[in-house]
Amino acid sequence: MLMGMSSPRKIGQVLSSPVPGQEEAIQGWIYRTRSSGAIVFAVVRDSSGVIQVTVKKGNLPEGEFEAAKSAPVESSVIVIGKVFEDKRAPGGYELKASSFKLVGGADPFPITEYQSEELLLDNRHLWIRSREQTAVMKVKASVLEGARAWLKANDFTEVTPPILTQNACEGGVTLFKLKYFDREAYLSQSAQMYLEALIFSLDRVYSLTPSFRAEKSRTTRHLTEYWHLELEEAWTDNDGNMEVQENLVTAMVEQVLKDRQAELRLLGRDPADLKEVRPPFKRVRYSQAIEALKAKGFDLAFGSDMGAVEERAFTAEERAPIFVTNFPREIKAFYMKEDPTDPATVKCADMLAPEGYGEIIGGSERETDLGTLTARLKAQEIPLEAYQWYLDLRRFGSVPHSGFGLGIERVVRWICKLEHIRDAVPFPRTVARCYP
Ligand code: 4AD
Ligand code: MG
C-alpha cells in the first residue's frame, strides 16, 4: 500500500463482493479506454481482474479528468470511486471515479490486438501482462503449490543440487558446455545423480531446479531451459515409484481445480476435462504400445523410440495420463535397472499426458550393482573418470531406489491446453530465442 492512501482493494475482490454505493480505491494499469466528450470509460486491470471506471467531467478535479482522457494504454493509475451496477461492464459493476491519479505514464504500447507471434515474443517482457499469460502463471504457481504440499505430506525433503556439473546424466548430445576456469563443465540436464547421493542421508528427496537441454529440435514441447521437478526414493522399486508419480500429478491437478477454474476457462480449458485424472493411471508395456501403434499404421519395431508423433497418436483418446513401462534397454539411459523378468527391457516408466500431449515424466528404478553399472557406462562409451563419485554410491551401502523427473512446463502446457510449451514459461528459451 502507498503511504497516505485509503486501503485499496484488489479489483477481483471489489467485483466478487460488490457493495453498491460504497467507495473503493483500486490501483492498476489502463487496459483500454474510450471517451465521448465529457465522459471517459477506462478499463483498469490488476493481477486479479479488470473493472470499468467511468470518469465524468465535473465529478473530479479538471486535471484528473484530462489525465484520464489522455492516459495511454498501460499507464499505471490509482482510482477512487463509488461502486455502481452496470450490466454492460465486465464483471457487472463499475466505479464512478471521484479521483483519478496517473502514477506512471506510458509510451504507445507496441502490442495491439493483432500481432505476429514473433512480435509478441520480442516483447515478451510486456506481453506477460496479458490476461492469458497471467492466467498461465497462476496455474503454474498452483501446480507447484500442489506438488510441494503433497511432497511435504509424504515426507519428502526438498534439497538443492548443483547446476554446474561435470556429469552428463542424459547423454552428450543435448549438453550445454561451458568453460569452467581451465576445465570444461556443463549446465545440468538433471539433478538425478545428486539426488541419488542424497537419499543416503534423507531417504526421500526432491528438487525443483532449472534443467538445460541443447535441444536442436524446434518442436512445441522442447525448451532449452525448463523447470524440472525431480524426486528420488530409497527402498522403492519401479512400481512404488509409479504410485508416487500418479498421486503427485493428481495432487497438482487437484490444486489447480481448487484454485484456478476461472483461469482454466479463460484459457479455453474446461475444468471438467481434468476430472478423470485420478489414480491409478493405466499401465501399458512399451511392447504393447508399439503393437497398438503398428495397428494404427505406424512403421515401428521393438527398439524404435517413441517420439512426439507416436506419443500424440497413442494418447489422443486418453482422458488421464498413462504409463508406458519396460522400454528396451538400448534406447534408455545407462542408470536404469534391467528387468530380470524381461531382460531386454528396463524397469522404467514414462508418464504420458492425455489428449496427445505426451511425455511429462521420465522415471525408473536405478541399477544398484557396481559391475553392471560400470559395464553399461562403458558400453555407452561414457568416460568413467567423472563418474567415480557416482559409482561410490554403489560401493557404500547401496539400496534399491527409484526416482523420476517431471517437466513443469510440459504439465502446465497440458493442464492449460496450450498449443506451444513456450507459453508455459514467462521468458522462454528455445533454439531460436534467448531474448528478452
Ligand atoms: O526424460 P528425461 O530426460 O529424464 C531425466 O532427465 C531423468 N534423469 C529424470 C530423473 O529420473 N530424475 O526428462 C524428464 C522430464 C521429461 O519427462 C519432460 O517432462 C521434461 O523432463 N523435459 C523437458 N521439458 C521441456 N523441454 C525439454 N527440452 C525437456 N526435456 C525433458
Ligand atoms: Mg524422457
Side-chain angles (χ1 to χ4, degrees):
M1 187 166 87
L2 293 176
M3 288 274 287
M5 252 187 80
S6 61
S7 44
R9 288 215 295 163
K10 285 277 184 249
I11 289 169
Q13 287 177 332
V14 173
L15 289 177
S16 64
S17 55
V19 187
Q22 178 166 299
E23 189 171 89
E24 296 279 5
I26 59 159
Q27 46 198 11
W29 290 264
I30 300 282
Y31 189 64
R32 59 170 182 262
T33 57
R34 69 191 162 84
S35 65
S36 60
I39 189 156
V40 179
F41 299 98
V43 176
V44 177
R45 67 160 183 89
D46 69 7
S47 62
S48 65
V50 297
I51 192 167
Q52 175 173 296
V53 172
T54 306
V55 189
K56 210 170 168 189
K57 200 177 169 79
N59 282 357
L60 69 179
E62 187 60 20
E64 294 187 14
F65 174 75
E66 287 306 322
K69 200 168 172 182
S70 59
V73 167
E74 289 304 316
S75 307
S76 51
V77 296
I78 298 174
V79 178
I80 301 172
K82 284 195 175 141
V83 178
F84 286 93
E85 198 170 350
D86 179 353
K87 293 234 155 44
R88 292 154 306 173
Y93 288 84
E94 63 165 7
L95 282 189
K96 287 196 195 301
S98 56
S99 165
F100 187 100
K101 295 232 159 46
L102 191 66
V103 177
D107 289 353
F109 203 57
I111 302 172
T112 52
E113 206 168 337
Y114 302 102
Q115 294 297 356
S116 73
E117 202 54 47
E118 277 307 296
L119 186 134
L120 293 179
L121 286 164
D122 284 340
N123 288 287
R124 192 67 168 195
H125 52 298
L126 301 174
W127 179 235
I128 49 174
R129 302 177 182 196
S130 69
R131 298 188 76 197
E132 294 81 3
Q133 287 284 308
T134 306
V136 173
M137 292 187 279
K138 287 183 181 181
V139 171
K140 192 177 201 176
S142 293
V143 163
L144 296 177
E145 187 186 334
R148 282 207 164 96
W150 188 89
L151 290 161
K152 182 171 196 284
N154 287 277
D155 204 24
F156 285 87
T157 303
E158 183 165 6
V159 293
T160 57
I163 300 297
L164 290 170
T165 166
Q166 295 191 311
N167 301 109
C169 187
E170 296 301 320
V173 188
T174 61
L175 274 182
F176 275 111
K177 290 197 182 64
L178 55 93
K179 208 168 122 41
Y180 190 76
F181 306 105
D182 55 351
R183 277 149 289 168
E184 200 170 71
Y186 315 116
L187 292 176
S188 171
Q189 297 171 312
S190 163
Q192 178 190 324
M193 296 165 74
Y194 296 99
L195 298 189
E196 285 188 60
L198 285 157
I199 58 166
F200 293 84
S201 22
L202 296 163
D203 272 330
R204 299 176 146 205
V205 295
Y206 77 96
S207 62
L208 178 64
T209 64
S211 272
F212 300 87
R213 304 280 169 107
E215 303 268 10
K216 294 260 166 56
S217 36
R218 291 166 196 262
T219 75
T220 55
R221 61 180 208 164
H222 285 97
L223 295 166
T224 54
E225 175 185 309
Y226 68 96
W227 283 84
H228 206 173
L229 180 66
E230 290 178 275
L231 176 154
E232 200 70 28
E233 205 183 351
W235 315 107
T236 301
D237 63 12
N238 193 46
D239 291 322
N241 196 236
M242 283 192 279
E243 282 174 33
V244 168
Q245 294 170 40
E246 61 197 359
N247 288 320
L248 175 67
V249 168
T250 302
M252 291 166 144
V253 168
E254 278 173 356
Q255 190 74 43
V256 172
L257 288 176
K258 179 167 163 276
D259 295 334
R260 304 298 182 195
Q261 300 225 356
E263 285 77 9
L264 292 180
R265 283 197 195 91
L266 184 132
L267 292 164
R269 160 66 83 195
D270 181 351
D273 296 346
L274 299 168
K275 294 258 160 66
E276 284 179 43
V277 182
R278 254 182 272 113
F281 298 168
K282 269 191 224 168
R283 284 137 168 85
V284 180
R285 293 175 80 88
Y286 161 91
S287 52
Q288 296 171 300
I290 293 294
E291 288 311 315
L293 284 164
K294 275 164 49 181
K296 288 188 193 223
F298 282 83
D299 180 19
L300 298 170
F302 187 87
S304 307
D305 208 354
M306 278 178 77
V309 180
E310 292 79 18
E311 288 181 8
R312 192 178 311 134
F314 190 63
T315 61
E317 308 305 322
E318 300 297 326
R319 290 291 159 261
I322 172 168
F323 287 111
V324 180
T325 71
N326 289 86
F327 280 74
R329 189 176 43 190
E330 274 62 42
I331 58 170
K332 284 293 182 186
F334 69 90
Y335 51 73
M336 293 187 179
K337 189 178 173 66
E338 185 180 291
D339 188 340
T341 67
D342 184 2
T345 71
V346 282
K347 294 177 82 176
C348 71
D350 278 2
M351 187 193 288
L352 311 183
E355 305 168 6
Y357 285 98
E359 182 184 343
I360 51 175
I361 291 184
S364 71
E365 188 166 334
R366 316 309 190 185
E367 181 54 64
T368 50
D369 180 72
L370 181 61
T372 311
L373 197 55
T374 311
R376 294 212 60 202
L377 281 164
K378 282 186 183 149
Q380 299 197 5
E381 291 171 21
I382 300 172
L384 292 183
E385 303 86 77
Y387 292 81
Q388 285 309 320
W389 71 267
Y390 181 68
L391 295 173
D392 266 355
L393 307 179
R394 276 59 178 171
R395 293 188 180 105
F396 298 97
S398 186
V399 294
H401 63 288
S402 304
F404 64 87
L406 173 153
I408 294 292
E409 288 78 10
R410 293 259 180 112
V411 169
V412 170
R413 178 179 172 229
W414 155 51
I415 291 179
C416 292
K417 212 174 176 178
L418 303 176
E419 186 67 34
H420 203 296
I421 193 169
R422 67 181 166 223
D423 286 324
V425 62
F427 295 100
R429 268 64 181 119
T430 58
V431 196
R433 186 169 288 277
C434 200
Y435 173 94

